[in-house]
Amino acid sequence: MKIIVVGSGYVGLCTAVGFATLGHDVVCVDVDEEKVDKINKGEVPIYEEGLDKMLSQALQENKLHATTNIESVKETDFVFVAVGTPSKENGSIDLKYVESASVDIANFIKDRNYCTVVVKSTVLPETTEKVVIPILEKTGKKAGRDFGVCANPEFLREGKAMDDFFNPDRLIIGELDKKSGDILEKLYDNFKSPIMRTDLKTAELIKYASNAFLATKVTFINEIGNMCKNLGIDVYDVAEGMGLDKRIGKNFLQAGIGFGGSCFRKDVEALLSKTKETRAESKILSTVLDINKDQPLRIVHLLKKRLPNLNEKTIAVLGLAFKEGTDDIRDAPSISIIAELLKHGCIVKCYDPKASDNMSKIYPNIDYCNSAGAALNKTDACLILTAWDEFKKLSDKDFSNMKSKIIIEGRKVLDKSLVTSFEGVLW
Ligand code: UGA
């Protein structure tokens, strides 16, 4: 099949490379010339495991190329919309990229044969119907007759995106009409995952409700963890016991310094603003956001218990990315933790295997080290904020050059048999 993917951010690029790897002919379209050049040279603008090799392979086999000009493509079977949907100041979603992509796609489909437009960007219920389709129909063509429309949300996790692309738990196909859904279902023919077909706005809400539920699940176990800390109970033991109940499940019960990333806060905020618009309310979701805002700072409170005067103390921060396996620092708990350390007059030495460059744009004046060992050298305390595999191997020897051995982990990562004394933020 011939596929255009509009937007070469994290979702667009992973989707494009995934389809190209499956043998489809893919064109990435992006307004950013520099990004387009990079993709055509096989340079991946983000860190995502396996993506660079798959991109090179796809380029070599002529299965993918990038362009700024959608008009340079002759015909296509699908146009995927995978542009970003950032938040506005008030938490509602900013549709400017979806709108401008829709205008470009409208001009593109105007003089071409039938193709199916698939909205993959995370958009609130009714967006495809009320925003995308009206723009596409300005061409005089009719949705459902002259072109197909589907909403097909993504469930890719950063760090595991390619694996999630090829082996999704489910595929949600929201369809304007049966023909559009049938055509998209055919594209996913070789996938073994269950496929659910529904209308457009239900598919759109499934995406938001899924992220909101996951954010709530993490926040729930963090609250239990806060309680556990006061009671001297390890929240991971509690989570293990809970997770054995099939109705609860063991995933997403890893307590710690709170969720981060580009999606959970943004999507929960957007869903809340939609809820207000429909004159409903969600007490749960606003509480989730409140709790998660405070959660990272707990590690600094614990540190203050051990070092009451933090002024001019040197603190090693291991891990900056919002989670392991990515260089992404968007909404990372490390950002507010470092801010708090600096506010208390600390000298921060940090190390992350991938995310230092991104963090240096926010904090240009802290010390970025090339290894955990260098960050730990002569420090008064160490905070571990991301569960990178290499931190799991740290042992007493790695911490031996610290001035005082105060180690607090914000994610459960250290091995008790290798490190003799440390504390967990909630365990
Ligand atoms: C999330 C969803 O998991 C994806 O399904 C979705 O496609 C994506 O958002 C999106 O909307 O694009 P992602 O943000 O990459 O994916 O990361 P997650 O693995 O979901 O983790 C989010 C945050 O929650 C991280 O900071 C992570 O450390 C934290 N988390 C996760 C916990 O604190 N505990 C857990 O048990 C799980």
Side-chain angles (χ1 to χ4, degrees):
M1 300 265 196
K2 291 187 168 52
I3 298 172
I4 294 174
V5 181
V6 181
S8 301
Y10 157 75
V11 171
L13 191 57
C14 292
T15 303
V17 171
F19 280 130
T21 304
L22 293 174
H24 299 291
D25 295 302
V26 181
V27 183
C28 297
V29 178
D30 200 284
V31 287
D32 182 341
E33 265 177 50
E34 206 183 310
K35 203 185 264 179
V36 163
D37 284 346
K38 273 192 169 176
I39 295 170
N40 284 330
K41 283 192 215 140
E43 292 168 24
V44 177
I46 46 167
Y47 173 73
E48 183 61 46
E49 205 185 325
L51 187 60
D52 50 352
K53 284 202 187 88
M54 282 185 227
L55 174 63
S56 311
Q57 182 86 12
L59 289 166
Q60 248 174 42
E61 290 172 4
N62 269 327
K63 286 285 164 199
L64 181 147
H65 75 272
T67 175
T68 52
N69 181 15
I70 190 170
E71 289 295 333
S72 64
V73 184
K74 276 196 187 132
E75 293 289 347
T76 192
D77 298 299
F78 294 98
V79 185
F80 277 81
V81 181
V83 294
T85 49
S87 309
K88 287 187 190 165
E89 290 262 303
N90 64 1
S92 64
I93 72 169
D94 188 340
L95 288 175
K96 65 180 176 210
Y97 301 121
V98 171
E99 284 164 351
S100 62
S102 302
V103 171
D104 292 344
I105 296 167
N107 288 328
F108 172 80
I109 60 174
K110 198 167 60 191
D111 316 308
R112 289 178 174 78
N113 292 328
Y114 183 100
C115 68
T116 304
V117 178
V118 185
V119 178
K120 211 166 232 322
S121 300
T122 299
V123 291
L124 283 163
E126 301 182 314
T127 305
T128 305
E129 264 165 284
K130 293 192 175 162
V131 179
V132 178
I133 293 179
I135 296 176
L136 299 178
E137 287 188 331
K138 276 193 186 149
T139 52
K141 287 203 167 187
K142 178 99 186 91
R145 183 189 67 198
D146 304 318
F147 60 92
V149 180
C150 287
N152 175 218
E154 59 85 18
F155 300 101
L156 309 177
R157 289 164 302 168
E158 290 191 26
K160 300 266 185 292
M162 296 320 291
D163 199 33
D164 285 347
F165 177 85
F166 294 113
N167 307 295
D169 282 352
R170 78 300 208 185
L171 287 157
I172 303 295
I173 297 182
E175 62 200 42
L176 174 68
D177 60 309
K178 186 169 179 310
K179 180 176 172 185
S180 305
D182 285 349
I183 292 176
L184 186 56
E185 184 164 353
K186 216 164 180 321
L187 180 67
Y188 289 117
D189 243 4
N190 293 328
F191 284 66
K192 294 194 177 65
S193 328
I195 291 182
M196 178 180 169
R197 288 185 48 177
T198 176
D199 60 17
L200 295 169
K201 62 184 178 193
T202 306
E204 291 165 332
L205 186 55
I206 287 172
K207 164 71 190 192
Y208 277 95
S210 301
N211 272 2
F213 180 79
L214 292 172
T216 306
K217 197 172 178 191
V218 174
T219 305
F220 177 84
I221 200 64
N222 285 339
E223 273 223 312
I224 298 290
N226 296 342
M227 201 186 293
C228 285
K229 188 73 187 171
N230 295 341
L231 290 169
I233 296 170
D234 185 334
V235 62
Y236 277 74
D237 292 339
V238 177
E240 190 185 334
M242 287 168 64
L244 290 171
D245 185 329
K246 288 194 191 70
R247 294 169 303 173
I248 298 173
K250 63 180 170 41
N251 294 324
F252 266 76
L253 286 180
Q254 288 164 289
I257 45 176
F259 61 77
S262 64
C263 305
F264 281 3
R265 182 189 51 82
K266 171 179 86 79
D267 292 352
V268 172
E269 277 178 357
L271 191 53
L272 272 169
S273 77
K274 185 74 184 177
T275 318
K276 282 189 196 125
E277 199 186 297
T278 55
R279 282 192 229 100
E281 64 171 339
S282 169
K283 290 183 184 156
I284 291 183
L285 294 183
S286 33
T287 308
V288 164
L289 292 179
D290 286 347
I291 296 172
N292 196 62
K293 202 165 172 219
D294 293 342
Q295 197 65 18
L297 301 182
R298 291 191 158 255
I299 201 164
V300 184
H301 294 317
L302 273 184
L303 178 64
K304 271 163 64 185
K305 278 193 187 163
R306 308 281 290 274
L307 283 174
N309 181 6
L310 285 174
N311 194 33
E312 295 197 354
K313 294 286 186 297
T314 309
I315 311 297
V317 170
L318 300 189
L320 300 168
F322 83 95
K323 67 171 184 182
E324 66 281 12
T326 176
D327 61 354
D328 198 342
I329 55 152
R330 284 176 290 176
D331 270 358
S334 58
I335 298 175
S336 50
I337 292 169
I338 292 174
E340 194 69 8
L341 293 174
L342 295 175
K343 207 169 91 190
H344 282 87
C346 297
I347 300 152
V348 176
K349 283 174 82 183
C350 54
Y351 166 69
D352 187 286
K354 297 286 174 202
S356 293
D357 279 357
N358 284 336
M359 192 59 90
S360 67
K361 289 171 199 144
I362 297 182
Y363 295 115
N365 298 323
I366 60 174
D367 194 358
Y368 294 91
C369 302
N370 289 327
S371 65
L376 288 165
N377 197 23
K378 298 197 176 68
T379 50
D380 296 285
C382 161
L383 304 182
I384 304 181
L385 306 186
T386 314
W388 284 103
D389 275 349
E390 65 174 86
F391 300 156
K392 294 183 183 152
K393 296 179 198 131
L394 291 172
S395 67
D396 281 331
K397 201 166 154 257
D398 297 294
F399 295 102
S400 59
N401 288 334
M402 292 175 73
K403 264 194 252 167
S404 54
K405 198 178 164 200
I406 299 173
I407 307 162
I408 311 176
E409 52 174 11
R411 305 276 184 205
K412 194 143 193 156
V413 49
L414 294 177
D415 182 340
K416 272 187 194 154
S417 67
L418 299 175
V419 187
T420 41
S421 76
F422 65 91
E423 184 177 3
V425 66
L426 306 179
W427 49 94

